[in-house]
Amino acid sequence: MINKEVKKIEQAISGVVSGMTLMFGGFGLSGIPENSIEALAKLNIFDLTCISNNAGVDDFGLGLLLKRRQIKKMISSYVGENAEFERQMLSKELDVELIPQGTLAERCRAGGAGIPAFFTPAGYGTEVQQEKEIRVFDGKKYILENALIADFSFVKAWKGDAAGNLIYKGTARNFNPLMAMAGKITVAEVEELVPAGELDPNQIHTPGVFVQRIIQGERFEKRIENRTVRNL
Amino acid sequence: MALDKEEIAKRIAQELENNTYVNLGIGIPTLVANYVPENINVEFQSENGVLGMGPFPYKGQEDPDMINAGKQTITTLPGAVLFDSAISFAMIRGRHIQLSVLGAMEVAENGDIANWKIPGKMVKGMGGAMDLVASSENIIVAMTHTNRQGKSKLLKKCTLPITGVSCIKKIVTDLAVVEVTPYGFKLTERAPGVDVEEIVQATEADLIIKGDIPEMDL
């Protein structure tokens, strides 16, 4: 067993410097690596390119890095819940690349899987197509999309072991397994870190080979973005 | 009377086919789940990684690890399954989901749809909409017939950046049901109490109108 466990969040994020490309798992606020983000928001690192499906909200998640102007470029599929984000984007302080959600997921997966590019129908005939190569397969048009990799990927899981194996819970899985694959260094924070051998190998979602550092998260707020309940 | 959002959802629910997988977008489409006919069995997929979505939770049962694409708290039904975003879009792109219902800002008579961006004003992003419209076998749009300024959302050509090309099959609005045909928009039903002339006035594009247009049966 290769032990990936680190004890302090400062160790977990060490090596991140200005100008790097970082991936963050999560959908909305569900399954975001909140401990890593909080720690990064305390560092004087700037000009980051961040790849994340969403951009958090003003005072939580990636909103914390946005507020301190640490992000130069954001690559996302949907950014509608963050007023500061929209302001920075419309005033062109922030460079934003919006890409279809399925394309984003597959570009991360491909990056981690050694596939440099792939053809997808999503975005054909739209602004997303830009100058990308178009190819026709069985009469349908597809555009060529390149894989994504990151200097660091930050992911969040429910349980993990010292070997870096991860199990997610509910819809908090989302982009985490794909971004875990696509990081040169992947940092996983978990709600419960157990010794190797305690997780059933049949039930593991992300094999530890994709994870370089794993840490028991100190605190998880797990904020709900849009609390919706049924009428009795 | 023009339909309200709930009634639009109710009309769309009549389009659901038995034993199919369905993806519902944010907004009016989400409401469709409330009106599934009794004899119809469908499974709802949410792009963030769940198939077999159930109703909203009771107060006190909300789980931050269980949300839908609109970030609303949800529950799951027996037989539900959870997966990552790449698998989710494999289901969508790979045409394993039979129907998508989504909202729109504009639909053109050739089936183009615009729903992700108003240049210089509002940029929320396309989320999963471009993947959905590029691949779904059947796509129904749920929207109001006109925008807040009273302008038609059914157009000869979209004015906003499009989300997908020639992909929409049917539109259900507060005024009408319109099919997208190779010859353009075809009016097939009207909202109860709304006459054909009113629909024509509210529609910038031409409408194909053949014979008597029945009222929706809600």
Side-chain angles (χ1 to χ4, degrees):
Chain A
M1 197 271 293
I2 301 173
N3 192 353
K4 314 283 177 67
E5 184 180 353
V6 294
K7 298 284 186 192
K8 286 199 172 339
I9 195 72
E10 293 76 19
Q11 283 171 276
I13 65 166
S14 79
V16 180
V17 295
S18 294
M20 276 187 166
T21 295
L22 312 179
M23 284 184 186
F24 296 89
F27 184 97
L29 301 180
S30 191
I32 61 171
E34 42 181 295
N35 289 279
S36 300
I37 293 171
E38 260 188 56
L40 289 167
K42 288 180 187 145
L43 298 183
N44 284 321
I45 48 166
F46 299 93
D47 294 325
L48 300 171
T49 295
C50 293
I51 304 171
S52 170
N53 188 55
N54 311 93
V57 292
D58 285 334
D59 62 340
F60 191 59
L62 289 183
L64 297 175
L65 302 188
L66 278 168
K67 208 181 339 182
R68 288 193 65 225
R69 308 286 186 84
Q70 290 174 277
I71 303 177
K72 179 185 68 178
K73 181 176 183 182
M74 193 78 217
I75 299 175
S76 300
S77 88
Y78 189 84
V79 293
E81 339 291 351
N82 190 317
E84 173 63 13
F85 184 100
E86 199 160 10
R87 190 196 66 72
Q88 286 186 24
M89 175 169 58
L90 291 174
S91 66
K92 302 210 188 322
E93 292 161 59
L94 179 70
D95 185 12
V96 178
E97 186 181 345
L98 289 167
I99 56 183
Q101 193 177 145
T103 299
L104 176 61
E106 195 64 14
R107 286 176 74 183
C108 296
R109 200 197 70 79
I115 307 282
F118 57 90
F119 284 96
T120 177
Y124 169 76
T126 75
E127 282 183 10
V128 167
Q129 180 183 310
Q130 300 166 338
E131 303 301 309
K132 290 167 189 162
E133 184 182 338
I134 296 167
R135 192 85 69 84
V136 179
F137 297 92
D138 288 332
K140 187 172 164 129
K141 288 171 177 140
Y142 297 80
I143 60 178
L144 185 67
E145 292 280 4
N146 292 330
L148 287 169
I149 52 167
D151 296 305
F152 276 80
S153 280
F154 296 94
V155 302
K156 188 262 167 182
W158 178 43
K159 286 185 181 178
D161 68 16
N165 296 309
L166 304 176
I167 296 176
Y168 308 93
K169 181 167 157 277
T171 55
R173 189 180 323 183
N174 54 64
F175 284 83
N176 283 299
L178 315 163
M179 291 181 168
M181 293 167 70
K184 289 179 198 162
I185 296 178
T186 291
V187 177
E189 54 180 80
V190 296
E191 290 180 51
E192 189 183 348
L193 183 60
V194 299
E198 283 199 16
L199 300 179
D200 177 354
N202 288 299
Q203 305 300 328
I204 287 164
H205 299 130
T206 291
V209 66
F210 296 117
V211 175
Q212 280 66 46
R213 301 173 190 171
I214 187 164
I215 184 167
Q216 163 87 58
E218 194 183 321
R219 198 177 70 93
F220 287 97
E221 179 182 338
K222 294 175 71 166
R223 194 184 292 188
I224 293 177
E225 198 163 340
N226 194 350
R227 187 180 298 274
T228 308
V229 295
R230 199 182 327 182
N231 295 323
L232 286 173
Chain B
M1 275 289 285
L3 304 186
D4 63 20
K5 286 178 180 182
E6 297 285 341
E7 289 166 321
I8 294 173
K10 204 169 168 186
R11 174 61 190 83
I12 288 175
Q14 295 173 6
E15 302 288 322
L16 299 173
E17 288 179 30
N18 196 30
N19 292 335
T20 54
Y21 297 104
V22 178
N23 180 289
L24 300 178
I26 299 168
I28 301 173
T30 305
L31 303 172
V32 172
N34 300 334
Y35 299 102
V36 180
E38 256 180 34
N39 55 339
I40 296 289
N41 174 42
V42 290
E43 283 221 38
F44 292 113
Q45 196 248 21
S46 191
E47 67 193 16
N48 56 315
V50 55
L51 190 60
M53 206 178 1
F56 298 126
Y58 289 114
K59 198 167 187 298
Q61 314 267 301
E62 309 94 304
D63 178 356
D65 293 331
M66 195 58 72
I67 62 169
N68 65 16
K71 287 96 178 177
Q72 294 171 301
T73 41
I74 56 159
T75 60
T76 52
L77 296 173
V81 58
L82 299 149
F83 36 85
D84 67 51
S85 303
I87 294 286
S88 181
F89 283 92
M91 294 176 190
I92 290 164
R93 246 189 267 102
R95 297 195 146 205
H96 306 281
I97 306 293
Q98 282 77 39
L99 172 66
S100 292
V101 183
L102 67 174
M105 298 194 265
E106 295 177 348
V107 179
E109 61 188 12
N110 68 343
D112 287 1
I113 175 174
N115 71 352
W116 72 285
K117 183 178 186 181
I118 304 173
K121 277 191 192 156
M122 187 284 296
V123 188
K124 289 185 185 300
M126 65 292 280
M130 283 193 184
D131 309 271
L132 281 161
V133 299
S135 297
S136 293
E137 275 170 56
N138 190 10
I139 307 172
I140 300 177
V141 163
M143 67 177 190
T144 54
H145 209 93
T146 55
N147 66 18
R148 284 188 194 131
Q149 289 78 45
K151 287 190 178 149
S152 174
K153 291 164 76 170
L154 291 89
L155 304 172
K156 289 194 167 80
K157 199 171 183 310
C158 289
T159 64
L160 297 169
I162 63 168
T163 311
V165 182
S166 300
C167 50
I168 304 306
K169 303 284 190 287
K170 189 176 272 192
I171 307 156
V172 178
T173 75
D174 51 339
L175 301 182
V177 179
V178 174
E179 279 175 20
V180 181
T181 74
Y183 312 100
F185 289 135
K186 185 181 179 197
L187 179 64
T188 58
E189 290 175 40
R190 54 197 172 82
V194 172
D195 60 35
V196 169
E197 188 51 30
E198 198 176 325
I199 297 164
V200 170
Q201 286 300 323
T203 310
E204 189 249 17
D206 294 328
L207 288 172
I208 299 165
I209 302 166
K210 283 196 177 146
D212 279 343
I213 305 300
E215 279 190 359
M216 297 179 203
D217 179 13
L218 295 166

